[in-house]
Every structure is written in structure tokens, then in C-alpha cells.
Amino acid sequence: MKIHSILKHFSSTAVRNLAVCGLLAGTLTASDVYADPGLRSVFDRPAASTSGAAPKSFIHGDQAFRVVNASGYQSGAGSNQVATVGHLPESAAEGSVIQTSCHSCGTSCGGACGSSYGGGYGGGFAGGYGDYSAMNLNGEYGSCGVACKPYWYIRGEAVYMELNSSDRSTFSRNFALDEFDFEFAPRITVGSVPDCVHGWEASFVGPLEWDMAASLANPAGGINTLLAPGAPIVAADLSTFNDSVFQSQDYHAEYWSFEANKTLVGWEVAKILFGARYIDYDELYNYNSQDAGGNRGLLRSDVENSLFGLQVGMDLLYPVSCHGSIDFRGRAGGYLNFAESDTRLFNAGSTVVAAIDEDTELAGVFEVGAGYSYALGEMLTLRAGFEVWYIAGLATATDQISPVVTTNFGRSIQMDDDIFVTGLTGSAQFKF
């Protein structure tokens, strides 16, 4: 905008005109006092000349200017009202100078206030600043920014996570399970920000599938179990698990989730989100055994956790270079866990225990992470980081069974276990 230059030109012209008028007043006053004592002021209306002399004038440079009475020239009504910027309010008094501003970025500017900071939540280059705000008449930046264009973003991530298995137990006396390995899974996020502040995003992660297994074989027998009978169960009900020639254990866990959130983006360096999320976490434990006579035994525990809830979160971005930034990611939510368990024990073709139960319990989910992102351009940003997930209030497979086998074995679902998931992430984000 050139309003500043125009006003500067007007002010310079006004100064020059005032200087000329001052020179004129001083010159005419001095000359007329001595030439015509009857003339009191050059701004008085001159009396009609009786001598037919020409009106008084003065010379400036090569030009002659005739002196007139300014009171004979009236400006038009309302012509001196000036508005420096914005629209003239209807209630403005005549002759006043009106100055307007956006007053509020949330109401007058449609939320388009501040910068278009890059690399984070839809700006240009990471670490590079965009147009912070419009320049006012004094050459300073005002409080309201240049309106931004709506944009979409898609972020594809690879999560490489490990399920903590430190509390996983074994039911064989002679060997044990190891630990879950790291596993890959995708996390896809799609979002939109129509006005640089208010937006939404949806994210899906998974499925993450962890497996571990171990087995032991001895043709001479002698492989025994930690399972013990409890009344009314007797030792014969567990015959295939003692003095076995082969035993195996395997453990499976699966995780996936979907979430949809409303987002609030501030200055492209902070994003607050709140929304709904569904998490599915299932576990399956199998314990197989075989005796010398070929009889088989199986202990099986299968649980399913379906978590529905609300969450809040925050993503923070801290620039460390022109295109690079360090970020922080946090999520916290409260959920209702609708869990089911199915526990069964078979021995030599007979069903010893068959128990199914379901219940609802409160659960909590917490996620924290940090990383480094680098913008390769206005559209593409790469990121690498690490994350920790914690889920409390779950039913796990091994928590449903105990070494002492009774008729109540697995009949009441236990939902007081928790899990830790830790790992690395890598992503690429496209903004358009």
C-alpha cells in the first residue's frame, strides 16, 4: 500500500505552502505598513479603490501573485472529513479524522492473524517466517495478519514400536518366553485448516502385531508345568502338562487406533487438538503340551479390549535453524474399555475349564514424543523422532490365568493391567 507515501507527499506540500504564506504575510505586512498606513492587514477585505489602482500583488521568483481576501472563499460543507484507513463509520462527526483497525484477529480478520510459520502446521519453510501482519501508515506492523489461503496436509509415518513384556510370565517349569520385538506399522494423518487457525484432522495407526514363541522337546520326557490343581480340579486333569515330551508357548498382541480431532493452530508453532478416539488392543496366549502317549493339552487365553473415549493433545514446534525445528507431541485421554475374555483348558481330549466373561472399566491413554523436522520446501517436510505410549486399565491374556487351576479359572475378567509401547517414528508431510 502507498498510503504512507501519499500522506508524506501531502505533509511536505503543506509545509511548503505554509512557508510561502508566512513569507507572504511577513513581506506584505512590512511593505504595506510603510506604503499604506490605512491598510491594517493583508487579510482584511480591501476597500474599493478610488484611484483606479490595480489590486496589490507580490512577486515570488518570476511569478506575480494577486492578493485577495481569503474570507470570500468558503470550502464545501463536509469536504474536510478525511479517513486515513478503513471504512468511515456512519456515526463519525463531520470534520473528524477517522482511523480504523482490525481490533480483533478473531472477529475482524477471520482468524488470519500472525505469521505463516513454516514446517509445522501448514506454513512455508521450517524455521522461515512468512508475512506476519499488514503494515500500518507509520511503516509498522499491525496486529492483524494477511489472510491466508486454506490448505490441506497429508502425513505418512512409519512407527517402529516395541511392546514392553517385562511382566509376561511363563507356565512351563523348564523354559520361558523371551520378549516382543520391534514391529513396523503405518500411521496416516489427513487434515485441513481453512483459515490458518481452526481446522480438523483424522489419524489411523496400525495394525501393530507383536509375536513371541518358544518351545522345548525331550523324547525322554521330564518337561513339567507350573500349573497345579485346586479343588475340585485333580492332578489327573493336568496329566498332559507333567512329564511331557514336548511343550510350546506363544504370545500374540495386536494394536490399532483411529481418531478424529478439532485443531487450533497458533502462529504455526503450536497446535492444540481435542476429539474422539477408538483403540483396539487384543492379546492371545497359547500353552501346548504333549505326553509320551501322544495325548495333548492346551491352555488358551484370549482377550479383546475396545476403548472408546475423548482426548486432548498438543504439538509444539521450536525452530533451531532456517529450515529445521525440534518438536514435542503429547496426548492424554479418558476411555471406557469394553473388554471380553475367553479362557479354556483342555487335557487329553477333555474340557477342564471353559470360562467367558466381559466387563466395562475406565482406562487412560497417555502418549509423549519428540523429534526433529526439516522442511525441503513449502510442500514437503521430513521428520524423525521417538514416542512412548502408556495404556492403563486393560485386560491382558496372562492376567486371566494363574498357576492354581480351579473351576473359577478365568470366570471373572481382570482389567487392572497396563502396557508400555516405545519406539521410533519417521514421517513425510505434504501440504497443498
Side-chain angles (χ1 to χ4, degrees):
M1 297 178 64
K2 297 184 178 179
I3 296 177
H4 180 70
S5 299
I6 294 173
L7 292 181
K8 183 177 181 181
H9 172 73
F10 284 165
S11 61
S12 299
T13 304
V15 170
R16 290 197 301 268
N17 291 338
L18 289 174
V20 172
C21 291
L23 178 61
L24 171 62
T27 303
L28 293 182
T29 302
S31 62
D32 289 344
V33 166
Y34 296 101
D36 188 358
L39 183 62
R40 294 188 302 274
S41 171
V42 297
F43 297 105
D44 289 339
R45 183 181 298 273
S49 177
T50 57
S51 61
K56 295 181 179 296
S57 63
F58 73 94
I59 305 299
H60 178 69
D62 297 331
Q63 294 180 312
F65 297 89
R66 186 164 60 94
V67 178
V68 297
N69 193 332
S71 61
Y73 296 87
Q74 300 295 331
S75 60
S79 61
N80 56 346
Q81 187 177 53
V82 180
T84 60
V85 65
H87 299 285
L88 183 64
E90 294 181 358
S91 59
E94 181 178 342
S96 62
V97 177
I98 307 302
Q99 294 187 4
T100 62
S101 62
C102 289
H103 301 290
S104 171
C105 294
T107 57
S108 300
C109 299
C113 182
S115 70
S116 178
Y117 184 83
Y121 315 111
F125 298 96
Y129 294 85
D131 293 330
Y132 262 82
S133 57
M135 182 179 290
N136 61 21
L137 296 179
N138 296 322
E140 302 171 342
Y141 286 103
S143 60
C144 291
V146 177
C148 72
K149 296 181 180 179
Y151 63 86
W152 288 75
Y153 57 92
I154 298 177
R155 182 168 58 251
E157 292 182 84
V159 295
Y160 187 55
M161 311 298 288
E162 179 191 30
L163 176 62
N164 184 283
S165 57
S166 61
D167 59 347
R168 301 297 182 255
S169 58
T170 179
F171 290 95
S172 177
R173 189 180 297 275
N174 301 99
F175 71 101
L177 292 171
D178 194 1
E179 294 182 350
F180 289 116
D181 293 328
F182 283 88
E183 300 293 340
F184 278 104
R187 178 164 62 190
I188 307 299
T189 302
V190 178
S192 175
V193 183
D195 60 3
C196 287
V197 177
H198 309 88
W200 63 269
E201 72 174 32
S203 181
F204 174 83
V205 58
L208 278 161
E209 297 179 343
W210 297 279
D211 299 282
M212 59 180 174
S215 62
L216 179 64
N218 185 3
I223 305 175
N224 296 305
T225 185
L226 295 174
L227 297 176
I233 305 298
V234 297
D237 295 325
L238 303 174
S239 61
T240 59
F241 292 93
N242 287 293
D243 196 20
S244 305
V245 297
F246 174 80
Q247 285 188 3
S248 68
Q249 299 178 86
D250 58 85
Y251 209 124
H252 309 274
E254 180 181 281
Y255 169 96
W256 64 271
S257 75
F258 176 80
E259 60 187 275
N261 303 289
K262 291 285 292 182
T263 61
L264 293 174
V265 179
W267 302 286
E268 299 294 346
V269 296
K271 178 172 69 176
I272 298 176
L273 59 86
F274 53 92
R277 187 176 184 182
Y278 171 77
I279 298 176
D280 187 272
Y281 179 74
D282 304 331
E283 287 191 357
L284 174 62
Y285 172 77
N286 290 312
Y287 176 28
N288 292 276
S289 183
Q290 182 180 339
D291 62 16
N295 297 311
R296 297 178 179 274
L298 171 64
L299 172 62
R300 179 186 181 92
S301 177
D302 187 3
V303 296
E304 298 179 356
N305 296 273
S306 300
L307 287 74
F308 297 86
L310 301 176
Q311 70 169 0
V312 296
M314 174 177 288
D315 294 344
L316 299 177
L317 200 68
Y318 182 79
V320 295
S321 66
C322 183
H323 300 285
S325 301
I326 295 175
D327 60 72
F328 167 82
R329 178 183 187 272
R331 304 286 188 273
Y335 295 79
L336 281 178
N337 182 11
F338 300 88
E340 299 179 3
S341 70
D342 186 349
T343 306
R344 300 179 184 271
L345 175 62
F346 304 97
N347 183 73
S350 299
T351 301
V352 181
V353 173
I356 299 176
D357 192 25
E358 61 181 26
D359 201 356
T360 303
E361 189 64 71
L362 292 176
V365 179
F366 306 91
E367 299 180 1
V368 294
Y372 177 81
S373 59
Y374 189 86
L376 298 180
E378 294 185 359
M379 294 184 62
L380 177 61
T381 301
L382 302 181
R383 179 187 180 275
F386 69 92
E387 294 184 17
V388 178
W389 307 344
Y390 174 71
I391 306 178
L394 291 176
T396 58
T398 54
D399 206 32
Q400 310 308 312
I401 52 183
S402 65
V404 179
V405 181
T406 67
T407 53
N408 293 324
F409 197 61
R411 290 188 180 277
S412 178
I413 186 171
Q414 303 298 312
M415 301 178 62
D416 55 356
D417 209 348
D418 53 18
I419 62 171
F420 274 99
V421 182
T422 59
L424 305 175
T425 65
S427 68
Q429 175 177 293
F430 294 90
K431 169 183 170 289
F432 55 94

